[in-house]
Amino acid sequence: MSAVGIGLLAGWGVVRSRPTPLSRRSVLRAGAFLGTAAATMPLAAACGPGYETAPDELAPLLARARADATAATALASAGGDGAELAEQVAAVRTAQADALQSEVDRLNRPKSSTAPDSGQAAGLDALKDRLEQARKEAADLVPTLPRHRAGLVGSVAAGCAALQQLSPGLGAGAAGDDVEPPQTGQLPPESVTAVQDALSAEHAAVWVYGLVTAFLPNDFRSGTDNGASAHRDRRDACERMLTAAGATPVPTEPAYLPPKPVTDAKSAMALVATAEADAAAAWRGVLERTDDTVLRTVALRALVGSATRGTSWRKEAGESPAAVALPGT
């Protein structure tokens, strides 16, 4: 007989062995014990807190947003060259703080003991540092949060990046949303659907960038080339992820219908900004429908990239506000 067979038979023998008879006293003793346990277990459970006792992980983000808004408001009130930019920073950070406050209030966890920020900024350089810190703090939290919070905090990070894009004094620069080839496998159905939505938005964005080149001066060629390249990279990344997950990527459409006719440079810029907003919404949707950290990283970089490019195009088109507080919403 094999060792496996012996083990199975031995186990079966133990299970099937005759139980030792219980005396009447043993039965009564066991019944008394069970009755006591049944009576005390609900009381023990009731003594537990029944809710999360740790401070809310969003509390530091909320405190930073409030302090940034206070600092920017003070800087705007002082006047000077950076007053208008500071006013925009104050408006965006206030809106972000309000959104974070609503989520923190919803769970009503214990208050954080962290000392509050003084809310001061000596100039645009100080605001730049504040925005960079806020962006990084939010981005670092995204991989660890529940899905709905990952979307909110991802939008906060993207909104800070959008503010920076308003001026070199605040840290404007390249979108920085290059996508590494993602190594993902099976994804749950809701994540597959979200990536398909993102792929559809990327197909549309690539088409839009091709369309607007006919209406924009050559001065914008670098911007359109970089934008088109970024969206092609994201499109390819989506297709790889979907294929790895066993899904068939949605194909591109032969053409897309702009919400408004494109007749000149300004309407072309507005269309690009719309395409970036649509892409941002799709990628926030990915954040809200996946727990995969690799996919969340790709989604966050894409969300930030669309937020920064959208800000640049709205600024060029003369739209106000150029920076959106919560891109993707």
Side-chain angles (χ1 to χ4, degrees):
M1 182 178 293
S2 68
V4 174
I6 292 172
L8 290 174
L9 290 174
W12 179 255
V14 171
V15 173
R16 298 288 293 176
S17 62
R18 179 178 297 178
T20 303
L22 290 175
S23 66
R24 178 179 176 83
R25 179 175 296 179
S26 298
V27 171
L28 292 175
R29 187 183 299 118
F33 171 77
L34 291 173
T36 304
T40 57
M41 284 177 65
L43 292 175
C47 291
Y51 57 87
E52 181 62 56
T53 58
D56 198 307
E57 65 264 36
L58 300 190
L61 289 184
L62 170 58
R64 182 180 292 279
R66 292 287 186 212
D68 290 352
T70 298
T73 299
L75 192 60
S77 299
D81 295 338
E84 185 177 348
L85 280 174
E87 188 174 349
Q88 294 182 65
V89 172
V92 167
R93 292 298 276 155
T94 297
Q96 292 175 346
D98 290 345
L100 290 167
Q101 185 74 65
S102 295
E103 176 59 19
V104 169
D105 290 346
R106 186 181 68 84
L107 293 188
N108 193 29
R109 291 183 184 175
K111 303 300 182 184
S112 173
S113 58
T114 304
D117 189 321
S118 60
Q120 296 180 354
L124 285 184
D125 283 344
L127 277 187
K128 172 186 174 182
D129 291 341
R130 281 180 169 276
L131 291 174
E132 186 61 37
Q133 291 170 8
R135 173 182 174 177
K136 184 179 186 305
E137 186 176 349
D140 288 347
L141 265 183
V142 167
T144 67
L145 294 171
R147 292 182 178 187
H148 68 286
R149 286 190 158 201
L152 170 60
V153 174
S155 286
V156 170
C160 291
L163 281 173
Q164 290 185 279
Q165 200 66 14
L166 290 173
S167 167
L170 292 176
D177 61 335
D178 51 303
V179 176
E180 295 292 331
Q183 301 295 323
T184 58
Q186 290 298 318
L187 296 172
E190 66 272 17
S191 298
V192 170
T193 300
V195 176
Q196 294 280 30
D197 291 343
L199 176 55
S200 295
E202 295 302 335
H203 282 318
V206 170
W207 182 87
V208 164
Y209 272 96
L211 172 69
V212 299
T213 54
F215 297 90
L216 294 173
N218 287 334
D219 295 349
F220 291 91
R221 181 54 59 90
S222 176
T224 55
D225 287 350
N226 290 338
S229 177
H231 286 288
R232 283 194 296 268
D233 287 346
R234 293 194 213 163
R235 175 200 63 194
D236 295 345
C238 287
E239 290 176 342
R240 287 195 296 270
M241 287 187 288
L242 289 167
T243 300
T248 301
V250 294
T252 186
E253 299 290 341
Y256 295 83
L257 181 64
K260 295 181 180 179
V262 179
T263 57
D264 54 17
K266 186 172 182 179
S267 58
M269 294 175 196
L271 179 60
V272 177
T274 298
E276 294 292 0
D278 289 346
W283 285 108
R284 172 165 169 161
V286 174
L287 285 177
E288 293 175 337
R289 286 182 279 177
T290 186
D291 299 312
D292 186 281
T293 55
V294 174
L295 182 51
R296 281 194 181 185
T297 299
V298 172
L300 178 61
R301 290 180 69 84
L303 174 55
V304 169
S306 281
T308 54
R309 268 190 299 274
T311 299
S312 296
W313 287 108
R314 280 188 292 272
K315 183 180 176 183
E316 290 290 348
E319 296 183 17
S320 182
V324 177
L326 295 168
T329 57

